[in-house]
Amino acid sequence: MAIAAIISIYSVFLVIGWLAARKVKDGTAEDLLIAGRAMPMWLATLTMTATWVDGGYLLGTAEGAYKSSVALGIQGGLCFGVSLILGGIFFARRMRRMEYTTLIDPFESRFGKHWAAVLFIPALLGELFWSAELLVAIGSTFGVTLQMKLTTAILISAVVVILYTMVGGMWSVAYTDAFQLGMVVIGLAIAIPYVLSAAGGFDAVMAGYAAARPDRTGILPPFSGTGSFWTSQSIINWWDVSLMLIFGGIPWNCYFQRVLSCQTPLKAQWHSIFAGLLTILMTLPPLLIGVAAFRYVWPVNLMAELQAQPAQTFPMVLKYLTPPLVALLGLGAIIGAVTSSFSSSILSAASMMTWNFAGRTIWPNLSVTQMKRLIRLSIVLLGASAIAMALKVQSVQALWFFTSDLVFVLLFPQLVFALFDSKVNRTGSIVAFCVSLVLRLGGGEPLFGIPPIIPYPEILTSNPSVWYEAGTGALLFPYKTLAALTGLILLPLVSRMTARWDNPVPLSLPSGKKDAAA
């Protein structure tokens, strides 16, 4: 029955994607990339929320609440929601009013297409590694709930999503996203009562968690280390990562693809704010699942399995604490969350690849038909790359996390000043980028076995042989935030110092008309 249900779900995805694809049958490349700027606000809000509420969001929230604390459990969802709200307030209206097509367009306008091609690299890698991580998440979930092989689950899921994304672009992605978000809401709404009941009821679950972890029930960590769990270093690290998630969550093309698909700048602004509120609200179901998993009295063998693999908290709760049909609905929620984000990510990567790199730098004279073909080919190639990475690379999640903080450190300062400072130039952009990159890499990277080469303060005041916080791999200093702040300071400063021999270029519309506000 489970396999039949999965086949039915994926068949529905294909049908919805095919029906939506009729909107771009005779349209332009922009119909594929940004829905012809004709997407209604309700649909844009749902596709934005579905993109951010991914498999890692659901599984990570439950895992964090189970093994650690409420603050660490909801950190991702809370920060992503705040990121969408801030993006809506400060960035969405401006980008949509300028009628850009991708995140890279303002970089190209201010700093030239060749330097924009460099800025495009961390943006592309972030999307690609995120796509691979999503495939790993759905593959492992299928393994727990259906005992399906990882390779089979990844291939089936990826092929279906690539097909409807390739055919209909942003329209297919948006309508399937809306359906998939509905699957998430319905699946979780039905599963939660069963989960809480199995763990003793809502009151018992919350009281038991608070009694066992009195210092771990706050939404935010305390302001100073007060116990064995929250130390000064863990609090600093929480805020450092939170700033990365909030501000580093803005310069992503999959975010601006939805912003730029909206009908008007005002609707672009409000849909981002509404999506941010929904994203925060959606942390509650997986948070309750994680708290219930902590309170539930697991058999010894299952407890050992859960402690060995806390990332499987969400699917294990569904499998063992709910009836089979309800567990299947919960699995549908995970499928909906992962596939919606995967389609968004590969479309976003393909958009930048074709529109800014191939279409502007390599083949600037492509016809509309050729551009559409190239977009579809890029979706297939990037999707295949994500599949290969998910199957072969063991540290996909770590790679994605690394590129995510590079997006924060390197691209957030660039986006802020490209959009809002008329006096910045390419020299300032290059210097800020290079210095921020050195400061970030100078903190080391446990993923690649690279030790810190810059003596940040926490290294000098602790054992010099201890590079990273035990168990987390985190350097005991907020160097990511420092690197981003340095870029925010250097870019406008160096631009003004070099303005005489590197004249600033006004921010322009794609048509070449100068923006009066630039």
Side-chain angles (χ1 to χ4, degrees):
M1 182 180 70
I3 299 298
I6 299 303
I7 294 173
S8 299
I9 289 172
Y10 281 150
S11 297
V12 172
F13 291 172
L14 288 173
V15 171
I16 294 174
W18 176 76
L19 292 173
R22 294 183 299 178
K23 289 179 173 288
V24 298
K25 184 177 181 181
D26 299 315
T28 66
E30 287 194 349
D31 289 323
L32 275 175
L33 300 182
I34 51 174
R37 306 190 196 276
M39 188 176 294
M41 189 167 72
W42 69 268
L43 183 58
T45 300
L46 293 182
T47 182
M48 182 78 85
T49 306
T51 298
W52 259 244
V53 181
D54 64 2
Y57 175 108
L58 296 179
L59 273 63
T61 301
E63 176 190 358
Y66 167 73
K67 76 174 185 180
S68 186
S69 67
V70 170
L72 286 172
I74 69 169
Q75 183 180 29
L78 177 64
C79 292
F80 286 149
V82 173
S83 175
L84 290 173
I85 293 171
L86 292 177
I89 294 173
F90 296 106
F91 294 90
R93 196 166 182 171
R94 174 78 161 169
M95 285 286 287
R96 176 61 184 84
R97 185 170 62 84
M98 295 299 295
E99 298 184 355
Y100 290 133
T101 303
T102 72
L103 163 71
I104 308 300
D105 283 353
F107 301 151
E108 186 176 309
S109 176
R110 286 285 195 199
F111 310 131
K113 64 181 181 180
H114 297 295
W115 179 241
V118 175
L119 297 177
F120 144 85
I121 294 173
L124 177 71
L125 291 178
E127 300 282 6
L128 187 59
F129 290 136
W130 184 29
S131 298
E133 184 205 10
L134 291 166
L135 291 178
V136 172
I138 199 168
S140 60
T141 300
F142 275 31
V144 171
T145 55
L146 302 178
Q147 282 72 54
M148 182 181 292
K149 290 183 178 179
L150 179 70
T151 301
T152 303
I154 287 175
L155 287 175
I156 293 174
S157 303
V159 168
V160 169
V161 174
I162 289 171
L163 280 175
Y164 73 70
T165 305
M166 178 184 66
V167 172
M170 190 62 203
W171 281 116
S172 292
V173 169
Y175 278 106
T176 52
D177 276 358
F179 177 79
Q180 289 154 351
L181 183 63
M183 290 176 57
V184 174
V185 173
I186 293 172
L188 294 180
I190 295 175
I192 289 296
Y194 287 96
V195 172
L196 293 176
S197 177
F202 177 80
D203 292 338
V205 165
M206 301 307 295
Y209 193 89
R213 295 173 165 177
D215 59 339
R216 308 190 199 183
T217 57
I219 295 176
L220 302 177
F223 290 106
S224 61
T226 57
S228 58
F229 179 75
W230 287 112
T231 64
S232 297
Q233 291 298 342
S234 63
I235 294 170
I236 291 173
N237 182 253
W238 191 94
W239 284 106
D240 189 33
V241 172
S242 294
L243 290 173
M244 182 198 79
L245 294 173
I246 291 172
F247 296 107
I250 294 174
W252 285 77
N253 191 54
C254 59
Y255 166 69
F256 284 110
Q257 199 154 32
R258 281 139 188 80
V259 166
L260 297 168
S261 297
C262 286
Q263 296 166 336
T264 66
L266 183 61
K267 289 181 179 180
Q269 180 179 53
W270 279 107
H271 106 277
S272 182
I273 294 172
F274 290 149
L277 295 174
L278 286 176
T279 298
I280 294 173
L281 183 63
M282 288 295 293
T283 60
L284 293 179
L287 179 68
L288 288 175
I289 286 176
V291 172
F294 177 81
R295 179 72 172 84
Y296 182 70
V297 181
W298 294 89
V300 175
N301 62 321
L302 294 181
M303 173 61 77
E305 181 180 349
L306 189 58
Q307 289 180 341
Q309 292 184 307
Q312 300 303 324
T313 300
F314 195 104
M316 286 187 65
V317 166
L318 292 178
K319 183 176 181 179
Y320 296 108
L321 273 65
T322 65
L325 182 58
V326 176
L328 187 59
L329 290 172
L331 175 61
I334 298 176
I335 292 172
V338 173
T339 52
S340 64
S341 300
F342 178 66
S343 62
S344 301
S345 185
I346 59 171
L347 177 62
S348 174
S351 300
M352 293 185 290
M353 175 71 77
T354 55
W355 187 264
N356 295 106
F357 184 66
R360 301 287 182 88
T361 306
I362 303 177
W363 302 299
N365 298 318
L366 288 175
S367 66
V368 171
T369 300
Q370 290 172 327
M371 177 64 79
K372 290 167 67 174
R373 289 174 180 170
L374 185 59
I375 291 169
R376 292 187 168 108
L377 178 61
S378 297
I379 290 170
V380 174
L381 293 177
L382 291 169
S385 299
I387 293 172
M389 195 175 301
L391 294 175
K392 299 295 183 181
V393 180
Q394 299 299 314
S395 55
V396 168
Q397 186 176 26
L399 281 172
W400 175 76
F401 197 86
F402 174 63
T403 53
S404 294
D405 78 57
L406 285 185
V407 168
F408 166 51
V409 168
L410 302 178
L411 296 188
F412 180 70
Q414 304 284 336
L415 181 64
V416 169
F417 289 103
L419 287 177
F420 298 108
D421 188 348
S422 62
K423 296 183 179 181
V424 294
N425 60 21
R426 181 167 49 197
T427 302
S429 174
I430 293 173
V431 170
F433 181 94
C434 294
V435 173
S436 293
L437 181 61
V438 169
L439 291 175
R440 167 59 186 88
L441 296 180
E445 180 50 53
L447 174 63
F448 303 114
I450 300 175
I453 58 176
I454 296 177
Y456 287 116
E458 290 297 332
I459 299 176
L460 295 178
T461 58
S462 60
N463 185 348
S465 65
V466 180
W467 299 340
Y468 305 106
E469 187 176 21
T472 67
L475 181 64
L476 303 181
F477 183 80
Y479 62 101
K480 300 169 187 175
T481 302
L482 174 65
L485 285 174
T486 302
L488 287 167
I489 294 171
L490 284 179
L491 205 160
L493 181 62
V494 174
S495 293
R496 283 159 173 78
M497 292 173 61
T498 59
R500 289 186 178 180
W501 53 271
D502 185 5
N503 293 326
V505 177
L507 198 64
S508 60
L509 296 167
S511 62
K513 296 179 180 179
K514 304 302 181 184
D515 179 22

